[in-house]
Amino acid sequence: MFRTALRNVLAHKARLLMTVLAVMLGVAFVSGTLVFTNTISDAYQNSSAKGFQGVDVAVQAKYQDSKGDQVGKTPDLTQTLLDKAAKVPGAASATGVVSGFTAIADKHGKLIGGGWQSAGGNYWGTKDARYPLVSGHAPSGAGQVLIDSKTAERAGYKVGDTVRISVNGPVLTPTIAGIFTTDDGNVTAGGSLALFDTATAQQLFGKKGAYDEIDVTAKSGTGQAALKSQLDQALPQKLVETTTGKKLADDQAKQIADGMSGLRQGLLVFAGIALFVGTFIIANTFTMLVAQRTKELALLRAVGASRRQVTRSVLIEAFVVGAVAGVTGLAAGIGIGAGLRALMGSFGASVPDGPLVVTPGTVAAALAVGVVITMLAAWLPGRRAAKIPPVAAMSALHSAPTTKSLVLRNTIGALFSAAGVAVILAATTMSGSDGQAPMGLGAVLLIIGVFVLTPLLSRPLIAAAAPLLRGFGVSGKLARQNSVRNPRRTAATASALMIGLTLITGMTVMAGSLQKSIDKMASAAIRADYVVSMANRNPLSPDVAEKVAATDGVTASSPLRNAASRIGGETEFLTGVDGSAIGKLTDLTVDSGSFKVGGSDVVVDDDTAKSHGWKAGSVFTAHYEDGKAQRLTVAGVYEGNQMIRGIMLDNATLTPHVTDPADMQVMVKTADGATAAAKDELERALGSNPAIQVQDKQDLSDSIAQVFTLILNMVYGLLAMAVIVAVLGVINTLAMSVFERSQEIGMLRAIGLDRKAVKRMVRLESLVISLFGGVLGIGLGVFFGWAAGRLVGAKMPTYELVLPWTRMAVFLLLAGTVGVLAALWPARRAAKLNMLSAIKSE
């Protein structure tokens, strides 16, 4: 039986090629994902480990939790603590570390590093071992800075050049005193690092004589654990905590691995979808192969082969196919992993240097996935073939499914579908995260139910296309009859395409609806013409709001200043605004009271008011971070949203109690509205700072739309794998169907159907099956998009369902195109059949 199975594989090489390709694509996606994430994780971990090489023990400030009416805060690491750490017997040296966001502009004024990986810090003394100098000297004073060698190379800077830098808003123009090298992972991944002398860094980053961290190196012969113990005894444990360099590196490696796991799981989900779609192709292929060899298998049964041996022979074929697909998929996956890494660089999101990582686990997973998926998909056709009695198999090549089996299938499908719809509808009535799990369960049940019911649905839906097919004469009529001749095969072929289009349509509906709701929210809540903020959403210096207010043409402006407080034993964040201007800059619906901000009068969003039991006229006590308390009155309650919410009070009231005031954004209204000239004037007033963005309502909406578009395009790209597999499925099914119907096609040719008509018949059959899958997929996608939108709408009052009719038409056109392209080779093959040879074939 083993030799028989191998001969069958070799005898049907062409027929199994599409199956191998389908499995190979899925395996390639899985192995490519593992190679890609392992490579990035390993590169960041190695880079991170290098960054901790000079740190034996790190001393960090311990956050003081909020207690009673006292606002929690992080104490300063003072010079006194640094001196104590340096005098510990096992310490060779102690370095005070200061760090923060620092944007560097290139010679054209463009931001280097994209903002998110733009960092700054302090250079310790005249020779800092952490940052070896390539050229120049240590910085001295506010007029000098060091930059990393990679940034200098990318931007063309050299020692003595003037560079534009921004820390929290205002533009600085220091001279480059030197260039240094670093193993910092952010720098090697495309970011930038600027270093000032310690006093300047403390001033710029708001430390004023304090440090973010104290790094201590051990003397020769002193271990990290021993040094940590000495520091614990010398330093106040209530204010600081100590961590060994090894633990810091291990924790950082774990964080990187955890971060990669989310990306890995997301990519593997799409790989699983491709494999799930591929399962239909494998099952279809083996069903047809087994059906074509029914007499052969029956003969084996007649000469003594058992049912188990027949099933085993089919599984051996599947094992060989899966093994070949697994090996080729692994090789392709390694290429995909390398390609994805290179692709990140083209998007400006490069990663630290490092080798391509192919672990034994990746190899094992690729081979296991290829073999297991193929064997599972082939098991049912093999078992079904083994159950056919030899006499019945020899007397008829095809056995139509019994009425009982079809009724059972339709009943099961109806139950699953009804359960799925019921669970999804129930989930839409839940709030937020509570409904996510039921929604996912309902979606799975409904997809399974529709898949099981697809043979039943195929007849009426394909029959609806009959009027269109009549225009193609005999070819159209034959195509319609062929497409419903074997409903199970048609269902399996169409379902592969259905799943891909369901996900694509659902994501498109969600993205379009969310974008519309955010547009409505921005236009409804904001009257301001512009919003000024840092490119990386870091806090702005108060100087920015002052410069904006003094700009020509500005009629009203207000910074939004956040500060923590304690109210009723709970931590609440206050938003400081310009009380006289905020009413001109926002358009919030007031539920009760008036929108009055000034002195002790505040306004509160409805959710906060409800949680505290406040209403217009309520009085409460706020305890600020400086320990002082103040009685505040709720002048009004407004409807909050995702853009504006919380407790608003006048900055004149809040700022005296804030140690280091910083603004999240500044809202601006100009005399001429949102014009290009007004925007240019604001940007000039802020020094044409590349780290600051001035956005109008459309810019805000577009920036959010860019995120949705990026995510959507990524999803399209990832789901394209499933669509490609579905195309292979259509080709495979048609090719096998043509082979199976060789005698019938030969007879049609003999009675007058020419080659063009045969080609047209096969192409129309493929088109009908693909459009059937497309209609089901788009319908399910719209339903899922609506249901998920109901879940989101509970938290977003402006949410409304938007059906992207144009894109859905494109998706349907795509499905039809898939059908036409997939039929090219099978149609050509059918037309080239020799009619006499075909008539004589069995």
Side-chain angles (χ1 to χ4, degrees), residues 155-167:
Y157 283 129
K158 61 183 184 297
V159 174
D161 288 347
T162 299
V163 61
R164 292 168 58 81
I165 287 178
S166 174
V167 172

Side-chain angles (χ1 to χ4, degrees), residues 288-641:
M288 288 184 281
L289 283 174
V290 168
Q292 291 166 13
R293 288 163 39 211
T294 304
K295 287 186 177 181
E296 174 190 327
L297 295 175
L299 183 59
L300 289 173
R301 290 287 311 282
V303 297
S306 66
R307 287 184 178 182
R308 187 173 296 177
Q309 286 178 310
V310 170
T311 304
R312 194 180 302 148
S313 71
V314 175
L315 291 179
I316 290 171
E317 291 182 50
F319 174 82
V320 173
V321 171
V324 172
V327 171
T328 53
L330 174 62
I334 294 172
I336 288 173
L340 285 174
R341 178 175 171 171
L343 191 63
M344 285 187 70
S346 68
F347 285 125
S350 53
V351 297
D353 297 331
L356 203 64
V357 178
V358 183
T359 64
T362 300
V363 176
L367 296 176
V369 166
V371 171
V372 171
I373 292 293
T374 309
M375 292 183 71
L376 284 176
W379 175 76
L380 189 60
R383 184 172 175 271
R384 191 184 299 134
K387 290 175 67 176
I388 300 175
V391 175
M394 287 182 181
S395 62
L397 181 62
H398 303 292
S399 298
T402 63
T403 304
K404 180 181 177 182
S405 69
L406 290 175
V407 170
L408 179 62
R409 177 179 180 131
N410 293 339
T411 302
I412 293 173
L415 290 174
F416 268 89
S417 299
V421 171
V423 173
I424 290 173
L425 292 177
T428 60
T429 63
M430 300 178 184
S431 61
S433 57
D434 293 340
Q436 290 178 3
M439 183 77 71
L441 174 63
V444 171
L445 290 174
L446 181 55
I447 287 177
I448 292 173
V450 171
F451 168 64
V452 175
L453 281 175
T454 307
L456 178 66
L457 297 173
S458 64
R459 291 185 179 276
L461 287 178
I462 291 176
L468 296 176
L469 294 175
R470 287 196 192 102
F472 295 96
V474 175
S475 297
K477 183 177 181 181
L478 290 172
R480 185 182 66 80
Q481 291 174 347
N482 288 333
S483 58
V484 295
R485 175 187 293 182
N486 191 330
R488 286 180 175 174
R489 185 189 303 166
T490 298
T493 307
S495 294
L497 197 57
M498 175 193 79
I499 292 169
L501 286 178
T502 295
L503 296 170
I504 290 173
T505 305
M507 290 295 296
T508 304
V509 170
M510 278 292 296
S513 301
L514 284 171
Q515 182 58 45
K516 180 70 173 179
S517 67
I518 290 168
D519 288 347
K520 286 178 64 178
M521 190 185 299
S523 60
I526 299 175
R527 286 182 184 171
D529 296 315
Y530 295 101
V531 173
V532 179
S533 62
M534 294 293 283
N536 67 341
R537 305 302 177 191
N538 267 23
L540 291 160
S541 166
D543 294 350
V544 173
E546 294 173 8
K547 289 183 178 180
V548 166
T551 303
D552 291 340
V554 172
T555 57
S557 67
S558 172
L560 270 62
R561 185 166 297 165
N562 285 0
S565 71
R566 295 286 286 177
I567 300 172
E570 297 178 5
T571 299
E572 289 281 2
F573 281 89
L574 306 174
T575 301
V577 298
D578 185 328
S580 62
I582 192 65
K584 303 172 186 176
L585 300 167
T586 59
D587 190 14
L588 299 167
T589 302
V590 179
D591 292 337
S592 61
S594 60
F595 199 83
K596 178 185 176 185
V597 180
S600 62
D601 289 333
V602 303
V603 292
V604 184
D605 72 284
D606 46 4
D607 287 340
T608 303
K610 184 178 180 181
S611 66
H612 287 281
W614 296 336
K615 56 185 179 180
S618 295
V619 178
F620 63 91
T621 301
H623 297 267
Y624 301 110
E625 65 177 61
D626 64 353
K628 295 182 180 179
Q630 183 177 8
R631 300 275 286 175
L632 300 174
T633 303
V634 178
V637 177
Y638 67 91
E639 291 182 10
N641 55 53

Side-chain angles (χ1 to χ4, degrees), residues 61-64 75 235-241:
K62 186 184 291 184
Y63 178 73
Q64 309 297 301
L235 303 176
Q237 293 303 292
K238 289 185 178 180
L239 298 179
V240 301
E241 56 186 353

Side-chain angles (χ1 to χ4, degrees), residues 153-217:
E153 183 181 349
R154 284 195 296 266
Y157 283 129
K158 61 183 184 297
V159 174
D161 288 347
T162 299
V163 61
R164 292 168 58 81
I165 287 178
S166 174
V167 172
N168 57 2
V171 176
L172 309 173
T173 54
T175 300
I176 298 175
I179 295 172
F180 62 92
T181 60
T182 177
D183 291 322
D184 189 305
N186 285 330
V187 172
T188 56
S192 63
L193 180 60
L195 300 177
F196 308 89
D197 67 29
T198 298
T200 302
Q202 289 173 327
Q203 181 68 31
L204 289 174
F205 301 132
K207 299 303 175 185
K208 298 177 183 176
Y211 304 97
D212 292 303
E213 183 176 299
I214 297 172
D215 292 341
V216 186
T217 56

